Amino acid sequence: VQQQQMQSPGSTMQEPDPPLHGKCGPGLSKAGMCVCFWNPLCWPGFCTKVNQNDQAAVMYWGKYEGTLQEPGLYCLNPIGREIRTASTRCTTLELKDIKVLDAKGNPVIISGVVTYAITSAKKACVDVERPHVFISLQATTAMKQVASRYPYSAPVGQVSLQTETQEISAELVRVLQSKTSITGAQVFNFELVDLSYAPEIAQVMLVRQQAEALVEARRLIVGASVDMAQQAVAQLEAKGGNLSDSTKERITSNLLTVICSHNPATPTVSLQ
């Protein structure tokens, strides 16, 4: 229930492992049990325990037979038996300072956190060696693959790594889920927690961002200044002012100079 509540829209449910039907194993194990069962010293070996939030893949003579999915005490034939246990608890994986090239080719440093859980003891213990290492490597690959599709920053209204929208997180979950399904992992979240330019271009990109912000601010000021000058001339004419073309030009020029100037305006009076 907990895993279903945490499930991300971009993830897919894993198919459960087949349960273990036969408790005595194949014929060879049954024959061995018939020989050893009369010895009381062998009886404790029949008992095996499965803890809460664990699954156990049961193998006989190297062949997978089924999975014990419910916690409790089980009585299984120990002859030729091997039990491989996998935890189904939620796990977090931290990806620290991964260097990625964004859509514009700029090197950026990204850190992320992945939340996932193993849902199949067979896939985690039989089909894949060291599943958590496998997931960690695939998470790094997924982050580089998805991050390379987006720029570090973008104009308002466009998706970028800096905005960290739900679209990017959902795509990260989808890509990582497709890469790690073989391990039986269920990916719940994949979020970016830190983002910065790489040290070798950080200073240059900071200057560029400041220049872009200055240009955008100047564009806003000039646009507002033109509107204000036009409104001032229109209001003067509406109140009965008879303005010649040269007067309109002078008023407009003076207003634009005052509003767009960095320094405070200094009034001057012509003596002629």
Side-chain angles (χ1 to χ4, degrees):
V1 175
Q2 180 183 5
Q3 293 179 359
Q4 291 178 353
Q5 291 176 350
M6 293 185 61
Q7 183 182 3
S8 171
S11 61
T12 57
M13 293 296 295
Q14 296 283 341
E15 294 183 0
D17 290 347
L20 179 66
H21 295 292
K23 307 296 184 180
C24 297
L28 184 59
S29 297
K30 293 177 182 178
M33 182 181 65
C34 293
V35 175
C36 301
F37 185 75
W38 306 105
N39 186 357
L41 297 178
C42 298
W43 293 352
F46 284 82
C47 298
T48 183
K49 180 183 67 171
V50 178
N51 296 324
Q52 185 73 34
N53 294 322
D54 280 353
Q55 290 185 8
V58 181
M59 304 179 68
Y60 278 98
W61 306 106
K63 180 181 179 182
Y64 172 77
E65 296 292 339
T67 299
L68 303 176
Q69 301 180 6
E70 297 297 328
L73 186 65
Y74 295 86
C75 183
L76 303 176
N77 186 358
I79 306 300
R81 184 192 69 192
E82 180 184 359
I83 295 180
R84 301 180 183 181
T85 303
S87 173
T88 60
R89 299 177 182 89
C90 289
T91 305
T92 56
L93 170 65
E94 182 182 11
L95 303 175
K96 188 71 173 176
D97 297 338
I98 306 299
K99 181 177 286 190
V100 181
L101 294 179
D102 69 355
K104 297 181 180 179
N106 299 318
V108 297
I109 303 297
I110 302 179
S111 298
V113 173
V114 182
T115 304
Y116 69 95
I118 298 296
T119 62
S120 170
K122 175 184 179 297
K123 293 181 178 180
C125 300
V126 180
D127 296 343
V128 177
E129 184 177 0
R130 298 189 300 171
H132 294 287
V133 176
F134 183 93
I135 294 172
S136 176
L137 295 176
Q138 293 300 326
T140 302
T141 303
M143 177 181 287
K144 292 184 177 182
Q145 180 179 342
V146 174
S148 64
R149 303 173 185 171
Y150 300 94
Y152 177 90
S153 60
V156 178
Q158 297 183 14
V159 179
S160 67
L161 296 174
Q162 202 170 29
T163 58
E164 192 184 345
T165 61
Q166 294 182 354
E167 179 181 349
I168 296 178
S169 180
E171 187 172 359
L172 285 169
V173 171
R174 180 183 58 79
V175 173
L176 181 58
Q177 184 66 72
S178 65
K179 292 179 177 293
T180 58
S181 294
I182 190 175
T183 66
Q186 181 72 37
V187 182
F188 301 120
N189 287 304
F190 194 158
E191 298 179 350
L192 304 182
V193 296
D194 194 15
L195 178 67
S196 62
Y197 281 113
E200 58 266 26
I201 66 165
Q203 186 62 35
V204 176
M205 298 309 296
L206 178 61
V207 173
R208 177 182 175 183
Q209 287 182 342
Q210 292 175 344
E212 291 177 349
L214 180 61
V215 170
E216 188 64 28
R218 280 297 170 188
R219 184 179 292 111
L220 179 62
I221 292 173
V222 171
S225 301
V226 172
D227 293 338
M228 293 171 64
Q230 291 176 346
Q231 292 176 4
V233 173
Q235 289 178 4
L236 289 174
E237 290 181 335
K239 292 183 178 181
N242 187 13
L243 304 178
S244 62
D245 292 341
S246 60
T247 304
K248 293 179 182 179
E249 292 178 0
R250 187 169 63 254
I251 294 175
T252 302
S253 175
N254 291 338
L255 286 175
L256 292 176
T257 302
V258 171
I259 297 173
C260 297
S261 176
H262 283 286
N263 302 320
T266 303
T268 58
V269 178
S270 176
L271 300 178
Q272 295 180 354

